[in-house]
Amino acid sequence: MKKILLVAVCALFSISAFSQKEAGFGITGGLNYSANGDYFESASNAAENPDRNIGYHIGVYGKVGERFYVRPELLYTRTKSDYDGDKFNMSKLDAPVLVGAKIIGPLHIFAGPAFQYILNTDFDGITINDVENDFSVGLHIGAGVNLGKLGIDVRYERGLSSNEASFINTNITTLQASRIDVRPDQIILNLSIKL
């Protein structure tokens, strides 16, 4: 499955180089705000400590089409979440395949599946034994504007396949392993530059 995903993303990047005038490729990056539970509760907690759940992503994208388009991306993503005062950090490769449409002028909307491969996880003071699945599937949905070669969009990402990590507190070894949900649940601010 991972090899098929990689071949599909590479093929879409290759096709984009030979497509219509608005098609092409570029670099992309931005900030990710991960939430645990209710976004409104997370937002009020973030006001006290603004960098609490802020992560980032950087990568490349390709685009095929003009009014209706397909935009595959390959991103390195680093997320940070807060669980009762402890920080949960995760590094992953994301490969969203977005299908979009121009609405009015520079405004466009998009949605599509996002494939994630978890590279590394770290939980403050706790050893993580196992992430249930290194590979998972999610959904991106969002809207943005294109201003020449510059694109700005806001997205919501949610993991669809359930995925948990088990961990053992290294200070208390008599307790059984606990589990946390590692599915993406985040708002993403993305900036892209067409090359």
Side-chain angles (χ1 to χ4, degrees), residues 89-169:
N89 298 313
M90 182 165 50
S91 302
K92 58 185 180 151
L93 286 178
D94 285 325
V97 180
L98 306 172
V99 176
K102 281 187 171 182
I103 302 299
I104 300 171
L107 179 66
H108 60 99
I109 58 171
F110 55 85
F115 305 95
Q116 295 98 26
Y117 181 75
I118 297 173
L119 300 171
N120 190 23
T121 54
D122 177 49
F123 200 18
D124 282 350
I126 295 174
T127 302
I128 295 180
N129 279 353
D130 187 31
V131 173
E132 189 176 308
N133 296 307
D134 286 338
F135 182 78
S136 63
V137 178
L139 174 70
H140 273 219
I141 186 167
V145 293
N146 287 331
L147 307 168
K149 293 187 176 214
L150 181 67
I152 301 170
D153 61 67
V154 176
R155 309 173 180 192
Y156 172 71
E157 179 188 19
R158 177 64 180 160
L160 299 177
S161 34
S162 68
N163 201 15
E164 295 180 326
S166 62
F167 61 90
I168 299 171
N169 190 325

Side-chain angles (χ1 to χ4, degrees), residues 33 36 41-42 44-46 48-54 80-83 87:
Y33 179 77
N36 301 320
E41 182 182 324
S42 292
S44 67
N45 291 336
E48 297 168 14
N49 189 0
D51 66 342
R52 181 175 142 179
N53 287 0
I54 301 292
K80 188 166 53 168
S81 301
D82 186 278
Y83 287 91
K87 298 270 185 238

